[in-house]
Amino acid sequence: QITKPDHRGEYHFSPKEKWMNDPNGMVFFDGEYHLFFQHHPFGDTWGPMHWGHAVTRDLIRWEELPIALEPDEHGTIFSGSAVVDWQNTTGFFPDEPGLVAIFTHHLERPDAPVVQTQSLAYSTDKGRTWIKYAGNPVLERADLPDFRDPKVFRHEPSGQWIMVVACGQIVSLYRSPDLKQWTWTSDFGQGIGSHDGVWECPDLFELHVDGDPTKSRWVMLVSIGDGGSGSEGSRTQYFVGGFDGETFTPDEASQQVRWLDHGRDNYAGVSWSDIPDEDGRRLYLGWMSNWRYANQTPTDGWRGAMTIARELTLETVDGADTLMQRPARELEEARVPVLELADVTLAGLRLALEPLRLGSFELEVRAESGRSFGFVLREGDSCGTPVGFDAEAGELYIDRTQSGECGFHADFAGRHAARTAQPGSEAGAAAMRERGVTAMQSESGVAERQAADSAAAVSETQAGVQPGADSETKPGMQSGVDSETELRIFVDRSSVEVFEGGGRLVMTDLIFPSGQSDRLSVFAGDESTVFRFVRISRIAGSNG
Ligand code: FRU
């Protein structure tokens, strides 16, 4: 008997029913991470937008709550953000602090142009019920057809709220003392970045560089709508620069386009507001789809899922402040061990993977640098998704051409690749020449292959490489990310997320394999390839 595969992820958030797109109103309050989302509760394709709502305490197990915001006379409810008004700047909270949502009203009327305005709603019961502000909308721009997705944050140095909001193909910045009256301060985006499509869902936040509390830069995220044929569909770029409370000034390195994710399915992601200072994390997630085919993905009764929660940091890579993404640490806490091996040969690993049957798991692997290798994920009789590192090309790739159901859109099947800065690759060699080194330190127990490396070994600090934050705790992992190819691969029922080199390069792709495609196999360019560390875990999620 052939049953329709259940593509619902075990540890990724998806709505119980019907359509979902962008994450909205992400805010942490009183122990809960709130996730609101673009939701069409009456259909499984995009339609009149509402804000759906879910909460989690651990970023993995989600509880879906009733719809938070419904359309009204000002329009349907497009994307936006939420903050805690700790100081009652709005006057909405005479008793105790509460939540304010700042969102776009999208108004379509017959025989009139579309109008997008920014509005407020507030909640005094931890986001369970919402009151729309009587003075809505609070911000209008009659000249702009595309004026949406306000992301608001508190800027203590200026004692103001700051809003970044997408306006066609730029981002405008505003400031406000009370979230009700807004003053334009500057525009960003003319002549910089990718303009392949409409700009959407901006975010702006400050991060320390290399974990140094005395050094920080600002990161601007901008999602770009589908630029049509020839483009990769919708995707997200980022800029690094300075922010003085009024103007965002990009650094030199941001003159070139930098992508947040090199797969096809991570869009409209923004970060959580109000994560407590003592924690200091900047957590992010995105919508795991692409406007090119989002309305056609082959799920049943529901459509749309979010990425795993990821921690964003800024680290110096080849002299440039670079945005890194690591899975939130809660994912480590949710691991249920399946298999763990150190210093295993290709043949040995093949044998160990043979009996496994897994639809949803995490795979961590560290192999000797400069070796081509990969895994076929969600493998079945005549399908599977190869994911790996090609040392010759210096590329990380996901190949979903045979990944399962692909025919729902002509642009879905494909192989997606991105260049890494790996030793052994051209890019890696160039990166190392720049650092003045010829090889990276390597201290593994696998002796044979180390002779050449150790002759030219240099320390991590000389090489200017920051070790991965958790590298000391990992068995078999001795030095910085460059002495090994390190991948963390999160596979769920219909998705693959690959984090390379401690989060320098990330690729997120949807796949729709059959339920029977549950095998996992390994391959390598060279039979003598040794894997220093392999660990497979299940993740105990909401739908496991
Ligand atoms: C991004 C987006 C936003 C808009 C929302 C509508 O995916 O187009 O710009 O607010 O989706 O659902």
Side-chain angles (χ1 to χ4, degrees):
Q1 185 197 347
I2 299 189
T3 51
K4 217 176 152 4
D6 183 7
H7 295 303
R8 188 184 289 282
E10 291 187 5
Y11 57 91
H12 287 82
F13 178 73
S14 54
K16 281 199 193 87
E17 286 194 292
K18 310 300 180 191
W19 167 269
M20 175 177 83
N21 57 294
D22 313 357
N24 294 151
M26 290 155 69
V27 62
F28 179 84
F29 187 53
D30 200 20
E32 293 178 323
Y33 295 89
H34 291 266
L35 170 66
F36 299 88
F37 52 91
Q38 287 288 278
H39 188 37
H40 180 206
F42 311 116
D44 58 8
T45 53
W46 190 84
M49 283 291 114
H50 297 54
W51 271 27
H53 188 196
V55 289
T56 180
R57 289 178 177 272
D58 62 8
L59 298 168
I60 299 166
R61 281 171 289 258
W62 298 91
E63 181 193 351
E64 192 170 333
L65 297 173
I67 287 171
L69 297 175
E70 296 185 355
D72 58 41
E73 72 274 19
H74 300 295
T76 57
I77 316 295
F78 270 25
S79 288
S81 50
V83 294
V84 184
D85 184 12
W86 293 107
Q87 295 157 40
N88 193 23
T89 63
T90 54
F92 297 152
F93 309 104
D95 302 327
E96 47 184 356
L99 299 174
V100 183
I102 307 97
F103 60 90
T104 298
H105 261 126
H106 170 89
L107 188 60
E108 285 184 42
R109 289 159 305 180
D111 306 320
V114 164
V115 181
Q116 298 187 333
T117 54
Q118 316 318 322
S119 290
L120 306 180
Y122 61 97
S123 170
T124 55
D125 59 358
K126 299 177 188 169
R128 269 50 182 185
T129 59
W130 290 82
I131 302 161
K132 300 234 184 73
Y133 173 50
N136 281 342
V138 294
L139 184 56
E140 301 178 74
R141 281 273 294 268
D143 57 318
L144 291 175
D146 293 300
F147 180 45
R148 59 178 179 267
D149 310 340
K151 179 78 161 80
V152 172
F153 64 93
R154 185 82 193 159
H155 185 247
E156 286 309 338
S158 62
Q160 299 278 312
W161 297 101
I162 309 294
M163 177 196 291
V164 286
V165 56
C167 304
Q169 290 204 5
I170 57 167
V171 169
S172 286
L173 286 79
Y174 289 81
R175 66 157 179 250
S176 170
D178 57 5
L179 297 172
K180 296 171 181 167
Q181 303 155 48
W182 291 95
T183 307
W184 176 88
T185 60
S186 63
D187 286 338
F188 168 73
Q190 198 80 53
I192 190 170
S194 167
H195 290 267
D196 279 354
V198 65
W199 283 25
E200 301 183 315
C201 302
D203 194 359
L204 180 62
F205 48 85
E206 189 176 20
L207 289 176
H208 294 306
V209 179
D210 297 328
D212 179 348
T214 66
K215 209 183 152 210
S216 74
R217 300 306 286 156
W218 289 75
V219 176
M220 172 90 78
L221 306 182
V222 179
S223 284
I224 308 167
D226 185 357
S229 63
S231 82
E232 299 185 357
S234 52
R235 57 192 310 199
T236 302
Q237 61 182 332
Y238 77 93
F239 305 88
V240 179
F243 176 64
D244 61 3
E246 297 191 345
T247 306
F248 174 75
T249 311
D251 293 343
E252 187 59 35
S254 286
Q255 294 303 325
Q256 74 184 71
V257 176
R258 296 203 280 176
W259 300 111
L260 181 91
D261 195 302
H262 296 266
R264 289 292 192 275
D265 299 303
N266 182 1
Y267 193 64
V270 288
S271 66
W272 259 283
S273 181
D274 290 281
I275 305 264
D277 274 351
E278 59 272 20
D279 187 359
R281 292 191 288 176
R282 182 57 57 170
L283 289 169
Y284 157 99
L285 60 68
W287 170 47
M288 222 164 19
S289 197
N290 189 315
W291 278 118
R292 182 68 57 89
Y293 43 70
N295 279 286
Q296 282 105 55
T297 53
T299 51
D300 205 10
W302 63 279
R303 190 174 271 124
M306 299 301 181
T307 66
I308 54 169
R310 305 169 180 191
E311 181 177 353
L312 302 180
T313 58
L314 268 184
E315 290 173 29
T316 314
V317 177
D318 301 337
D321 295 335
T322 304
L323 192 62
M324 312 279 285
Q325 295 177 68
R326 292 196 181 86
R329 60 170 176 258
E330 284 80 353
L331 284 141
E332 286 158 43
E333 289 152 19
R335 280 178 187 147
V336 179
V338 172
L339 180 87
E340 183 170 327
L341 296 165
D343 296 330
V344 61
T345 60
L346 178 61
L349 184 55
R350 262 193 206 119
L351 274 177
L353 299 182
E354 193 24 64
L356 299 183
R357 298 290 177 268
L358 291 166
S360 169
F361 57 98
E362 179 196 0
L363 166 61
E364 303 162 82
V365 57
R366 298 200 296 278
E368 304 161 279
S369 64
R371 297 297 192 117
S372 294
F373 71 93
F375 294 84
V376 183
L377 310 173
R378 299 301 308 270
E379 192 172 18
D381 286 343
S382 55
C383 57
T385 303
V387 169
F389 173 63
D390 177 336
E392 246 97 284
E395 274 180 0
L396 180 72
Y397 62 88
I398 300 178
D399 182 348
R400 67 176 177 190
T401 50
Q402 312 284 325
S403 55
E405 279 176 83
C406 290
F408 57 89
H409 193 285
D411 292 343
F412 183 77
R415 181 183 182 276
H416 310 141
R419 289 182 70 85
T420 75
Q422 287 280 340
S425 72
E426 209 186 285
M432 284 196 289
R433 274 197 299 280
E434 214 165 274
R435 296 183 196 129
V437 297
T438 52
M440 305 299 291
Q441 181 187 35
S442 189
E443 300 168 15
S444 157
V446 190
E448 314 86 80
R449 301 205 40 80
Q450 300 316 312
D453 283 358
S454 56
V458 291
S459 77
E460 283 158 15
T461 15
Q462 281 169 309
V465 175
Q466 295 295 320
D470 50 1
S471 61
E472 281 115 339
T473 62
K474 286 180 177 172
M477 178 75 165
Q478 300 291 333
S479 57
V481 290
D482 278 341
S483 67
E484 303 176 325
T485 304
E486 181 194 359
L487 305 181
R488 277 181 77 182
I489 307 175
F490 287 82
V491 181
D492 208 340
R493 300 249 164 222
S494 53
S495 61
V496 177
E497 290 161 279
V498 187
F499 299 78
E500 183 264 354
R504 274 189 303 205
L505 199 63
V506 181
M507 296 184 79
T508 305
D509 267 358
L510 291 174
I511 53 169
F512 298 99
S514 77
Q516 291 76 42
S517 303
D518 57 0
R519 297 197 295 272
L520 172 65
S521 67
V522 60
F523 58 89
D526 193 325
E527 280 296 314
S528 67
T529 301
V530 170
F531 295 86
R532 300 219 173 114
F533 181 69
V534 177
R535 177 161 53 194
I536 297 168
S537 319
R538 294 185 59 103
I539 307 283
S542 308
N543 315 307

